[in-house]
Amino acid sequence: MRLKLKEEYNKAVARICRKQLYLNTYMSVTDNTRIEIENCKRIIEYNDIYISLKAATITLRIWGKNLKISDYNTDGIVVEGEFSSIEFE
């Protein structure tokens, strides 16, 4: 019981810290041609039909055609192309 309470407390503290320090993942999707993702940590896999990204709180998979990463900086990433699906894990 004590261990479960401690785990719940740690999760709540982590959630509050992420929110206060702006460490959550924010996304902006424009039609099915452009997605901007803030707090992207790394690119797991990348080709012209599939992109897999590790963001701050989730893993994101993007499927489509002619996919390309047009901007990758310390704040985030911009993916352009024709998206057929976006998956969250």
Side-chain angles (χ1 to χ4, degrees):
M1 173 107 174
R2 180 177 248 179
L3 182 61
K4 184 177 180 180
L5 184 61
K6 186 177 180 180
E7 288 176 6
E8 289 177 19
Y9 174 78
N10 288 342
K11 287 180 184 179
V13 169
R15 188 173 42 251
I16 291 168
C17 289
R18 277 195 307 269
K19 186 174 182 180
Q20 293 298 320
L21 297 173
Y22 302 102
L23 298 177
N24 286 327
T25 303
Y26 296 96
M27 290 178 274
S28 173
V29 179
T30 306
D31 293 330
N32 69 332
T33 59
R34 180 181 171 97
I35 184 169
E36 298 177 31
I37 305 161
E38 292 183 19
N39 292 326
C40 180
K41 300 299 180 194
R42 68 185 177 105
I43 300 168
I44 299 170
E45 189 173 345
Y46 171 45
N47 59 48
D48 63 337
I49 60 168
Y50 173 74
I51 297 176
S52 179
L53 308 168
K54 175 68 178 158
T57 55
I58 60 171
T59 300
L60 186 68
R61 293 186 194 104
I62 303 169
W63 293 89
K65 293 191 292 189
N66 303 321
L67 300 179
K68 64 180 180 176
I69 296 174
S70 62
D71 186 16
Y72 183 68
N73 57 44
T74 57
D75 294 334
I77 192 169
V78 176
V79 178
E80 295 178 329
E82 188 177 325
F83 309 137
S84 58
S85 72
I86 301 172
E87 302 172 6
F88 304 95
E89 181 180 306

